[in-house]
Amino acid sequence: MVFIKDAKKEFLDQIINKRVLVFVHLDVDALCSWKILQHLLHCEHILYSVIPINSKQALEDAYNQHKQVANNIILINCGATLDLVEILQPPEETIFYLIDSLRPLEVRNVYNGIQIKIIVLQNELGIEQKLVPEYEDIFDEEEENDEENEEEEDGDENLDEEEPERNRSKRKRFDPEYLEKMHAKREWESKRSKILFEYYKYTYHRCSSSLVLFDLAWKSAKDNNDLLWWSIIGLTEQLINCKIDRDIYTRYVVELNSHVLRHNHRPAVNALGTSNTNPAPDDVSINCLKISHLDDLNMVLLRHWSILESIYHSIDLACLFKMWTNKGKKKLNEFLADLGLPLNECKQKFAYMDSSFKNDFKMLVASENIKEKYRYDENFIYLSTFIASFGYTNKLTAFDMAYAVEALMENVDGEKNLSDKFIEALNCLNRENLKALECGIETAKNHLKKIYQQIQNFIDMNQIVASGPFLQVFLEEGSNENPFFSQIFTSKKLARFALQSYLALTKGKKVRNMPLIVCIPLNESNTLIAGVPPYRATNNTENCFGLAFDEAAEKTKSRVNFSYFDTSIIEINNEDKSKFLDALVAVMQ
Amino acid sequence: MLCQKSFELIKQLDSNFSNAHELSPFNEDNVRYTFEECKTLFAQNQIDVQPVLQGDNSNLPTIQMRHAALQRNKRCLLTYVYTRMNWVASLRFELATVVAPKHIKANMSDLEVVWFQKYSKTLANYMKSLSQATQTNSGYIYPIDLTQYTKPPKSLFIHVRCLKDYGEFELSDGHTVSLVKDSQHYLLASDVQDLIKQGILEHID
Amino acid sequence: MQSDCYKNGYFNIQDIMASQERISCKFEIEIPNMGFLDSSSHDSNLKVGSKLDLPYWLIKAIYNEKFKFVNIDLPKWYKKFYHDILEADACVVDLRKMGPYYYDFGVLLLNLVETDIGLNIAKTLLSCFRSRFRRIMDLSAQTDHRDLYRAISKLDYTETEMYKAGQLDANGFIRWQRREFCKLLPSIIVTANKNKRKRTDSNGD
């Protein structure tokens, strides 16, 4: 198997003094991992070239342009689910190092020990190995040779050779031993296809790449507070985009908390053990990064908005109060009144609110009678996260930063190409660049408002319909926001918000377990279709649409382009759309 | 009015170098006109000075004025050529190239182009002689390049982003990098300094 | 640019521009063959009593304290009336209107006038400069020159140069505070002409 057991020895030490080519996928987790990896590469003065990519085609093009640069190629959050050796056709000395949170890994990648190496968290190594099917179940050595012989049509073989083989096979057909072997082979093949079907059925995510790289940095004793903060942001993004469940998230938070405590330890008393006459809580410079654990409220961008706006745009709370109806708005006002907050205070920015109200707010939200009246529990309203403070600016939670960076990456205003967005988002992650951070948060607010507006439209015009085993919603053609909604993560966010809001407003039992697809027109000829799994309390991260789209496309021979690494997002030609959707209904039943 | 054209040369210089930092085309016409004016003035003075030598001072103010005009023309011309020469010399350091870029070369006169080449050669010889002085016992010569590191360097390697398509670039250790627009690389600072100065690469922190 | 030591004398562009300023003068004698200087008369000689505005360098050549064949009329900016204005409040006066090279030309004038008038001019120049200097220093510490456009338009050339130098330093300090000194920059030739280059490239393509 190709999983690296000791990342430091088999990865870092191998690339010292060599040149490296790095491909970074455009998502927050990959960006944070890149920052951590960049730090490690700088420590060892390893020369590199880095290229941001968005889609499979971009990976191919970029690889062809730069392949002579280096023999060691690192791919972050891209490529592990593709058969790299076949698609990129690398020369023999090239080694690929994959750091990816997306599963399932392509089996050909896992069993190619020579050119591919996959880096995962050390303590999850056993689990990862078990997830991949056994070698014997998928690959048959004899089988491979036979297959290769049959597939070779390069003209290497003479026509004469084929003739005697056919005669041989004719003779063999009536041989009982041969018949048994064929029977066994057919059984093996059916078992194999079943195993592969089960393996590729669901796409899901495991540990974030930034956490893997932080672990590597820690084991090489090169970790510091900045790297820790970036890995926290990477983990947070996984929760925002529903790549992992709450309990898995909490587990990783606990793990990271131990690192946080280690790096942010402040002695309360001085070395002699006597307390100071003037207790100075921080005897480090004000510009240092200080991280601490926090059980924060589940309200998006709370510190940068007013309470009212923050509640409006958080998915969970908006669906709890059914914010699109008038009744819902009244219920929200009642909720705020119960908490003892005057309405004009709630409309002010959170940072400028009266401090007594702020403190009361956090406590009262968790009080028993409020929770009973509005029917939510502690886990719903509180979210375990980390908060950072540096300099004289406001404190930032990991969620704020994740939203800001993602907003900058998915921003369609102003014609920026991939590289510009990449550099902007990276600037935002730098602590010194406060302007970029503010810009990111403003952009995030705009994006959330647009999504909310679109959901309001959906609900007002009843555009979310159940068609067969899943829910469907179409966006109008020619709308200005379509380019914005057709970004990878925004389309999924829209779909999830639509699903949750629909479930909040309808009462049918059948729709409880339905997934949802959203169709966004890209231009005159193409449409983007994104699918999200059904909303469940736990285990709502496994997405079955990859395989479903593939089967439906094959059945109807539609012109479908699986352009992104996430197989639940496809681009389809408008003419094939309706027959594709019909086939999809049939496939998923 | 006397010396108008030569003054125009100076005005052109002033506006170019203080605001635009760019060389304007060599103003051949004005220079030639000024030469002609000088010749005329000198010839006129030669005629008028004859009576003065014989003691008749009535022409003296005229001669003095013409002489002043001649000197003014000379000053303007010399300043024009001198300032441009200095600018061309600094080009070698600013852009760190031995060959002047096309759009700048188009504005230089032929003599200036030749001068630039000779200056580059002299500079190269000078740098070579300095390098020879650093020769160690083992025979290793440390190459000295005066156009590099005009500011004290802060790090050995820097992260750069490519602003224009440049093609293949060879590093000092023999490897090549393909500098495609918007690609980012981490390279030795001494290799890429020249390209940053020319605006092909951008230094990113 | 190189060779600054040469720039403060013969090759100094600022000096050449300042000495081109005109002074009104009256001729006391007849100057043969210089009639072309006077555009209103058709005579080949310069008549007695003709009033002309001639540039400083020309006057300097023929001005003689003893013989005085030219009578100089001080430009009005340097007369007593304006001395009083400047003494009242120097900061609001628009020195650019009073000749963009007010200080330089004033210094050059001292060679042409008698000692006592010259002393007055010198004293006025000094006190004016002293009172305005404070304001220029304050202006240059502010970093955005676009807001200060109105204030800057009243400065003469020398003061503008000082203002620019102050601005450069203020910006440099801010860059140092932000630790941007590590960043390698493209040469000024590239940045100043980046937009021009884009236009010509697109035209050429």
Side-chain angles (χ1 to χ4, degrees):
Chain A
M1 278 237 198
V2 83
F3 293 104
I4 289 190
K5 291 196 184 54
D6 181 353
K8 179 170 187 308
K9 248 200 324 201
E10 297 174 42
F11 170 50
L12 271 188
D13 291 346
Q14 298 295 321
I15 55 175
I16 291 184
N17 288 335
K18 299 211 180 102
R19 293 206 50 209
V20 172
L21 182 59
V22 187
F23 290 107
V24 179
H25 186 238
L26 221 58
D27 69 79
V28 181
D29 183 26
L31 286 178
C32 296
S33 325
W34 165 239
K35 289 288 268 191
I36 300 178
L37 183 63
Q38 196 183 31
H39 180 256
L40 293 174
L41 293 177
H42 280 194
C43 283
E44 302 286 346
H45 289 307
I46 299 173
L47 300 184
Y48 60 80
S49 303
V50 60
I51 300 160
I53 54 174
N54 211 356
S55 59
K56 294 182 188 168
Q57 190 58 43
L59 176 61
E60 264 190 67
D61 295 338
Y63 179 73
N64 285 333
Q65 262 181 347
H66 294 266
K67 63 178 160 195
Q68 74 279 24
V69 162
N71 278 333
N72 296 299
I73 306 187
I74 305 180
L75 289 116
I76 304 185
N77 270 3
C78 53
T81 50
L82 307 176
D83 188 354
L84 285 173
V85 174
E86 191 168 312
I87 296 181
L88 300 179
Q89 305 279 343
E92 291 207 0
E93 317 85 49
T94 313
I95 301 188
F96 291 90
Y97 294 95
L98 306 176
I99 307 169
D100 200 335
S101 59
L102 188 60
R103 300 281 182 276
L105 300 168
E106 168 66 41
V107 287
R108 291 217 161 76
N109 280 349
V110 176
Y111 288 113
N112 179 348
I114 313 172
Q115 283 194 285
I116 308 224
K117 308 219 183 285
I118 306 183
I119 309 177
V120 293
L121 261 192
Q122 192 115 350
N123 37 356
E124 295 189 357
L125 193 55
I127 308 176
E128 295 282 348
Q129 282 177 334
K130 287 210 192 80
L131 284 174
V132 184
E134 294 289 326
Y135 182 74
E136 295 78 34
D137 289 341
I138 324 177
F139 297 110
D140 186 2
E141 296 246 329
E142 263 182 45
E143 173 95 6
E144 288 281 308
N145 287 337
D146 280 351
E147 272 183 19
E148 275 175 20
N149 275 339
E150 282 171 27
E151 282 170 4
E152 257 179 359
E153 290 170 50
D154 285 333
D156 284 0
E157 284 185 348
N158 297 329
L159 282 167
D160 303 344
E161 266 194 317
E162 279 187 30
E163 287 271 345
E165 234 190 61
R166 248 183 267 141
N167 286 338
R168 250 187 283 140
S169 60
K170 259 192 195 163
R171 268 183 278 129
K172 277 194 172 175
R173 229 184 282 165
F174 302 112
D175 196 5
E177 242 183 66
Y178 179 67
L179 282 172
E180 243 185 70
K181 221 177 25 163
M182 289 305 293
H183 181 68
K185 190 164 140 192
R186 270 195 289 271
E187 255 192 50
W188 181 88
E189 268 184 12
S190 70
K191 190 170 153 218
R192 170 179 185 256
S193 49
K194 225 195 313 186
I195 292 182
L196 282 180
F197 178 74
E198 286 297 323
Y199 180 62
Y200 284 121
K201 188 164 169 200
Y202 289 112
T203 55
Y204 55 99
H205 289 262
R206 291 199 51 87
C207 179
S208 64
S209 324
S210 48
L211 208 56
V212 172
L213 281 172
F214 179 74
D215 197 60
L216 170 61
W218 175 44
K219 301 227 162 83
S220 335
K222 294 194 175 79
D223 61 331
N224 60 29
N225 228 359
D226 285 310
L227 302 189
L228 180 58
W229 180 237
W230 289 327
S231 67
I232 292 175
I233 298 176
L235 176 67
T236 313
E237 185 256 354
Q238 285 204 318
L239 186 68
I240 293 179
N241 286 323
C242 290
K243 290 181 182 172
I244 56 175
D245 282 331
R246 267 296 194 100
D247 22 347
I248 301 183
Y249 170 77
T250 319
R251 184 157 53 89
Y252 284 127
V253 162
V254 166
E255 223 182 278
L256 282 174
N257 199 14
S258 62
H259 289 292
V260 165
L261 290 172
R262 178 169 56 92
H263 279 289
N264 291 284
H265 176 60
R266 305 263 173 269
V269 293
N270 62 15
L272 290 177
T274 57
S275 58
N276 290 330
T277 45
N278 315 349
D282 294 316
D283 46 356
V284 293
S285 149
I286 192 78
N287 276 327
C288 283
L289 180 67
K290 298 183 249 305
I291 313 177
S292 48
H293 181 252
L294 177 73
D295 273 325
D296 197 20
L297 296 165
N298 187 7
M299 295 179 193
V300 67
L301 293 181
L302 178 63
R303 282 166 190 75
H304 304 273
W305 248 346
S306 62
I307 290 188
L308 216 58
E309 285 188 298
S310 177
I311 295 184
Y312 261 35
H313 296 100
S314 321
I315 295 187
D316 294 327
L317 285 171
C319 294
L320 179 73
F321 288 113
K322 302 194 185 56
M323 215 70 80
W324 309 274
T325 58
N326 276 332
K327 204 167 127 191
K329 292 199 171 83
K330 284 205 191 109
K331 199 168 170 195
L332 174 63
N333 288 342
E334 213 186 295
F335 175 67
L336 292 172
D338 279 339
L339 290 174
L341 296 168
L343 201 58
N344 49 351
E345 282 284 335
C346 290
K347 288 191 183 151
Q348 269 195 30
K349 253 195 167 168
F350 189 74
Y352 306 139
M353 268 175 78
D354 211 12
S355 50
S356 60
F357 287 133
K358 263 196 272 195
N359 297 334
D360 289 343
F361 177 60
K362 284 199 181 134
M363 283 194 316
L364 285 171
V365 157
S367 69
E368 285 304 319
N369 34 347
I370 305 270
K371 281 199 287 190
E372 262 190 59
K373 182 171 175 191
Y374 295 95
R375 273 175 264 150
Y376 58 80
D377 64 350
E378 188 109 349
N379 277 340
F380 179 80
I381 198 71
Y382 276 119
L383 205 54
S384 181
T385 180
F386 296 94
I387 190 164
S389 66
F390 48 87
Y392 295 102
T393 58
N394 290 332
K395 299 191 176 189
L396 286 165
T397 61
F399 278 93
D400 297 340
M401 288 231 47
Y403 277 115
V405 177
E406 195 165 272
L408 283 179
M409 255 172 22
E410 306 242 302
N411 196 6
V412 288
D413 301 327
E415 286 168 26
K416 300 198 174 105
N417 61 9
L418 219 61
S419 207
D420 289 328
K421 289 196 239 184
F422 180 62
I423 293 184
E424 251 190 53
L426 283 181
N427 272 342
C428 187
L429 281 175
N430 266 343
R431 277 190 289 130
E432 286 114 31
N433 211 333
L434 287 174
K435 218 163 104 175
L437 194 58
E438 275 168 30
C439 181
I441 292 187
E442 289 302 313
T443 320
K445 285 191 206 169
N446 282 339
H447 287 184
L448 286 167
K449 285 186 191 157
K450 282 188 199 168
I451 294 182
Y452 182 79
Q453 189 60 41
Q454 187 63 51
I455 299 288
Q456 178 98 44
N457 283 348
F458 283 161
I459 294 190
D460 287 342
M461 300 202 270
N462 283 333
Q463 282 179 331
I464 310 177
V465 287
S467 93
F470 54 81
L471 296 163
Q472 257 188 14
V473 60
F474 289 85
L475 258 79
E476 279 166 23
E477 269 188 46
S479 156
N480 283 344
E481 308 294 349
N482 279 346
F484 166 60
F485 287 124
S486 54
Q487 302 290 310
I488 315 177
F489 294 106
T490 312
S491 57
K492 287 273 187 85
K493 272 201 200 127
L494 185 68
R496 258 178 254 123
F497 208 153
L499 180 61
Q500 265 187 270
S501 58
Y502 183 74
L503 290 179
L505 291 177
T506 49
K507 292 210 194 320
K509 261 203 209 154
K510 231 172 66 171
V511 296
R512 291 285 138 200
N513 282 327
M514 281 196 190
L516 181 134
I517 63 168
V518 60
C519 303
I520 306 163
L522 284 175
N523 45 36
E524 283 102 42
S525 47
N526 286 336
T527 304
L528 187 90
I529 301 187
V532 292
Y535 179 64
R536 290 185 279 256
T538 56
N539 197 21
N540 60 345
T541 58
E542 290 189 342
N543 200 326
C544 58
F545 277 106
L547 217 59
F549 284 154
D550 200 15
E551 271 191 43
E554 259 189 59
K555 270 198 188 158
T556 57
K557 306 228 181 312
S558 322
R559 285 157 284 181
V560 162
N561 193 1
F562 283 87
S563 41
Y564 300 109
F565 294 102
D566 186 354
T567 46
S568 54
I569 306 183
I570 56 167
E571 287 177 17
I572 184 171
N573 204 313
N574 276 345
E575 296 162 17
D576 303 327
K577 200 166 57 170
S578 36
K579 62 178 176 175
F580 175 78
L581 289 172
D582 294 333
L584 192 62
V585 169
V587 162
M588 293 197 48
Q589 243 143 17
Chain B
M1 189 57 228
L2 291 171
C3 308
Q4 282 287 73
K5 295 286 180 188
S6 53
F7 185 64
E8 262 172 47
L9 290 174
I10 300 294
K11 267 206 293 203
Q12 201 179 38
L13 267 189
D14 189 32
S15 68
N16 273 335
F17 289 150
S18 57
N19 299 333
H21 294 281
E22 195 178 44
L23 204 63
S24 55
F26 190 78
N27 203 335
E28 195 96 12
D29 301 326
N30 276 9
V31 170
R32 202 167 293 142
Y33 184 91
T34 315
F35 276 148
E36 294 299 324
E37 195 181 32
C38 287
K39 275 195 217 157
T40 325
L41 286 171
F42 188 70
Q44 284 173 335
N45 258 4
Q46 288 290 81
I47 302 172
D48 279 344
V49 93
Q50 302 300 334
V52 180
L53 290 178
Q54 267 120 41
D56 174 15
N57 280 349
S58 58
N59 274 346
L60 214 51
T62 318
I63 298 177
Q64 274 183 314
M65 289 174 84
R66 286 209 198 100
H67 190 72
L70 267 173
Q71 292 211 307
R72 178 76 175 176
N73 272 341
K74 176 177 163 193
R75 185 181 184 195
C76 290
L77 279 176
L78 277 177
T79 313
Y80 186 68
V81 174
Y82 179 77
T83 320
R84 284 179 71 101
M85 182 185 88
N86 271 341
W87 199 93
V88 168
S90 72
L91 201 63
R92 174 73 180 83
F93 283 87
E94 289 279 320
L95 294 184
T97 51
V98 182
V99 177
K102 283 205 193 89
H103 60 272
I104 296 184
K105 199 166 167 183
N107 288 342
M108 295 204 272
S109 74
D110 297 330
L111 288 173
E112 283 175 343
V113 172
V114 172
W115 187 87
F116 181 68
Q117 286 169 348
K118 285 198 184 156
Y119 181 77
S120 300
K121 222 193 260 179
T122 319
L123 185 66
N125 282 339
Y126 177 59
M127 296 199 284
K128 199 160 150 201
S129 70
L130 286 178
S131 312
Q132 299 284 15
T134 68
Q135 188 169 22
T136 61
N137 288 332
S138 55
Y140 177 73
I141 296 183
Y142 183 79
I144 291 187
D145 188 353
L146 292 173
T147 59
Q148 292 243 336
Y149 293 125
T150 46
K151 276 202 273 191
K154 294 290 170 197
S155 58
L156 205 49
F157 297 91
I158 52 177
H159 187 116
V160 293
R161 175 188 176 193
C162 202
L163 295 174
K164 300 184 199 154
D165 265 327
Y166 185 77
E168 299 286 320
F169 178 65
E170 191 169 331
L171 301 175
S172 51
D173 55 358
H175 292 130
T176 48
V177 189
S178 62
L179 292 179
V180 181
K181 185 166 193 282
D182 287 334
S183 57
Q184 300 177 37
H185 310 273
Y186 183 67
L187 301 167
L188 259 183
S190 48
D191 287 340
V192 295
Q193 263 199 37
D194 297 343
L195 292 177
I196 294 182
K197 274 196 191 163
Q198 291 163 20
I200 296 176
L201 295 178
E202 179 194 355
H203 181 196
I204 299 184
D205 263 334
Chain C
M1 308 291 172
Q2 299 165 314
S3 311
D4 276 327
C5 51
Y6 281 101
K7 290 200 110 197
N8 289 327
Y10 189 72
F11 293 120
N12 190 351
I13 297 182
Q14 198 172 337
D15 197 42
I16 299 179
M17 306 273 300
S19 52
Q20 188 76 9
E21 295 282 331
R22 291 177 178 254
I23 308 181
S24 160
C25 57
K26 188 161 138 209
F27 282 89
E28 301 291 326
I29 62 169
E30 179 164 330
I31 303 192
N33 290 331
M34 280 285 142
F36 64 89
L37 288 176
D38 191 356
S39 46
S40 54
S41 87
H42 298 287
D43 212 345
S44 65
N45 300 342
L46 213 50
K47 290 281 176 230
V48 179
S50 43
K51 271 203 170 155
L52 293 175
D53 273 340
L54 292 179
Y56 168 81
W57 54 267
L58 200 51
I59 309 279
K60 177 112 191 310
I62 55 174
Y63 184 75
N64 193 325
E65 283 213 345
K66 275 196 286 179
F67 293 120
K68 283 245 172 140
F69 31 75
V70 185
N71 257 336
I72 296 178
D73 195 15
L74 271 186
K76 63 174 174 172
W77 315 115
Y78 299 93
K79 288 206 179 140
K80 180 117 189 6
F81 179 59
Y82 277 89
H83 286 188
D84 293 335
I85 296 182
L86 286 173
E87 230 169 296
D89 189 356
C91 292
V92 296
V93 182
D94 187 350
L95 280 190
R96 194 171 291 187
K97 202 175 52 166
M98 291 161 64
Y101 295 93
Y102 185 73
Y103 294 110
D104 294 319
F105 189 47
V107 169
L108 288 176
L109 266 184
L110 297 178
N111 293 328
L112 291 185
V113 296
E114 289 113 39
T115 330
D116 45 348
I117 306 180
L119 212 56
N120 274 336
I121 298 181
K123 272 196 207 153
T124 317
L125 284 178
L126 251 180
S127 68
C128 172
F129 184 75
R130 207 182 283 137
S131 32
R132 286 169 72 101
F133 179 68
R134 201 57 185 299
R135 189 128 192 285
I136 299 171
M137 240 175 64
D138 287 338
L139 284 179
S140 67
Q142 300 173 37
T143 46
D144 201 338
H145 63 278
R146 286 168 292 187
D147 298 330
L148 307 173
Y149 187 66
R150 271 216 266 121
I152 299 176
S153 56
K154 294 206 179 134
L155 301 179
D156 97 324
Y157 191 82
T158 323
E159 294 172 334
T160 318
E161 291 294 302
M162 274 200 300
Y163 168 77
K164 281 188 197 162
Q167 271 257 296
L168 215 63
D169 277 347
N171 281 333
F173 182 67
I174 290 179
R175 285 188 65 226
W176 178 82
Q177 277 186 318
R178 290 196 198 139
R179 300 195 174 273
E180 283 176 26
F181 49 75
C182 317
K183 204 161 163 182
L184 295 172
L185 291 176
S187 94
I188 191 161
I189 303 173
V190 174
T191 44
N193 297 304
K194 204 164 50 162
N195 296 328
K196 251 196 240 174
R197 197 84 297 117
K198 273 193 196 148
R199 261 184 275 134
T200 51
D201 278 343
S202 56
N203 285 339
D205 293 337

